[in-house]
Amino acid sequence: MRLIRGLHNLKESHHGCVATIGNFDGVHLGHQAVFRQLRQEADSHGEPLTVIIFEPQPMEYFRPDEAPARLTTLREKIRMFTELGIDNVLILHFSKRLAAMGAETFIDEILVRGLGIRHLFVGDDFRFGRARSGDVRMLREAGEAHGFTVDDMDTLMHRDQRISSTRIRRHLIEGEIAEANACLGRSYAICGRVAHGDKRGRTIGFPTLNLVLRRRSSPLRGVYAVRVAGLGESLLPGVANIGIRPTVEGDDRFMLEVHLFDFDREVYGQLVEVDFVTRIRDEMKFDSFDALRRQILEDADKARRLLGVKQEQQP
């Protein structure tokens, strides 16, 4: 897959493609269905399949304090695009210039002269250009003038409801992991590198992997039974806390901490993927480290039962 960062990096070899535009947050089953349709269209035209995304996402640019928590970081999204066989990904930096660009200019500069698109897939509610003045109708009229066709995307349903990033985010917030996973077509996961922490978990018998989260926020909060990939051939079971660290001092850092069962290796710097299986409880603040330790013991016991892991002797 070729990653194109900005219009200035477009080359003649990128000209001529079948394309789609969107945030594709979560790369869920609905997105995957679109990519399959695009793949067929691209193959029939003998053209590459190009996905156009914005970074940051428009809502993050215009109203950063109100923007919803991402389901996937850019790194995670790019990895999934690669796995799905996307040929090109054009990342448009959403800046003051792009926000002020008129819809007609967007079509001419990016779609026609920049990419030379042959066919475009967009959502039926897709809006673009300054003040969101461009829509599907405008794209179809432009397509007739410039020689490309436009289709809107079919809606994919689950339990009689449309699959969307908003719906998945709501399921995750409410702790409905299985429903979120059914819409994603995979386990919801967060990737990150293991970083050094304050090592307080070791003092109470629960060493943790501390992950650096490269995101503003997460739809997840609380304690979860998890499985972790990246530290061996098989998934490793554990219990995780994500959110503001529940320490006595009230540390306000947003972190993901994972305690792996029967695991004592040092793996600082390694990239791991944490798959969330079931939510155990909400975040809590504790009056003492003894109270914290007792609660972690309960959480670990419950996570072991949920994951079918044999109980070890408690520390």
Side-chain angles (χ1 to χ4, degrees), residues 15-292:
H15 203 267
C17 63
V18 170
T20 185
I21 309 173
N23 291 325
F24 302 108
D25 190 25
V27 195
H28 55 62
L29 285 177
H31 298 146
Q32 295 169 40
V34 168
F35 297 151
R36 285 195 296 272
Q37 285 182 271
L38 277 166
R39 181 80 272 164
Q40 293 176 356
E41 192 74 26
D43 291 345
S44 69
H45 283 77
E47 302 281 4
L49 191 169
T50 297
V51 173
I52 305 166
I53 59 175
F54 303 102
E55 191 64 33
Q57 294 175 175
M59 184 71 165
E60 294 170 344
Y61 174 83
F62 287 113
R63 289 182 285 178
D65 293 336
E66 300 175 29
R70 286 198 188 196
L71 299 174
T72 44
T73 63
L74 178 61
R75 178 193 291 271
E76 291 164 351
K77 198 182 297 185
I78 295 302
R79 176 174 57 80
M80 293 176 196
F81 287 162
T82 302
E83 293 170 356
L84 290 167
I86 306 301
D87 298 311
N88 301 319
V89 176
L90 171 61
I91 303 175
L92 296 177
H93 176 55
F94 204 90
S95 59
K96 183 178 181 179
R97 177 179 179 273
L98 191 60
M101 184 181 288
E104 295 86 354
T105 303
F106 183 94
I107 292 170
D108 180 65
E109 185 173 329
I110 296 174
L111 302 183
V112 177
R113 291 192 289 121
L115 287 169
I117 62 168
R118 304 287 189 261
H119 188 80
L120 180 67
F121 269 45
V122 291
D124 56 9
D125 59 350
F126 179 64
R127 297 291 185 275
F128 64 100
R130 185 175 57 249
R132 293 167 54 85
S133 58
D135 57 15
V136 176
R137 179 189 58 79
M138 179 184 285
L139 285 169
R140 287 196 169 113
E141 291 174 354
E144 292 177 3
H146 294 285
F148 64 86
T149 53
V150 178
D151 276 334
D152 49 18
M153 303 172 185
D154 295 332
T155 297
L156 197 65
M157 309 291 285
H158 172 67
R159 296 188 188 276
D160 298 322
Q161 293 184 52
R162 177 175 176 267
I163 293 177
S164 69
S165 302
T166 299
R167 177 184 174 185
I168 294 167
R169 195 174 294 111
R170 184 177 68 251
H171 285 315
L172 292 172
I173 290 170
E174 295 175 358
E176 299 166 350
I177 307 297
E179 285 296 299
N181 291 348
C183 295
L184 287 166
R186 64 179 187 279
S187 296
Y188 182 71
I190 289 178
C191 295
R193 291 199 179 275
V194 180
H196 287 275
D198 54 27
K199 298 179 174 59
R200 287 179 182 169
R202 296 180 183 277
T203 67
I204 57 174
F206 288 94
T208 60
L209 308 183
N210 301 284
L211 270 64
V212 178
L213 298 181
R214 304 295 187 189
R215 59 185 73 211
R216 292 174 183 268
S217 62
S218 167
L220 299 179
R221 291 287 193 284
V223 176
Y224 297 80
V226 299
R227 294 188 177 95
V228 176
L231 298 175
E233 295 183 0
S234 60
L235 295 173
L236 302 179
V239 61
N241 181 87
I242 182 169
I244 304 302
R245 301 182 68 200
T247 59
V248 178
E249 289 85 355
D251 191 335
D252 61 358
R253 287 179 294 171
F254 186 78
M255 295 187 67
L256 171 57
E257 298 174 297
V258 183
H259 170 67
L260 294 177
F261 303 135
D262 313 316
F263 184 87
D264 60 2
R265 289 162 43 203
E266 289 195 354
V267 290
Y268 297 118
Q270 289 194 223
L271 183 65
V272 300
E273 180 178 270
V274 181
D275 290 5
F276 293 83
V277 179
T278 305
R279 183 159 74 177
I280 294 174
R281 63 169 173 85
D282 294 334
E283 288 182 278
M284 296 171 60
K285 185 176 178 180
F286 300 91
D287 295 329
S288 68
F289 281 107
D290 282 342
L292 172 61

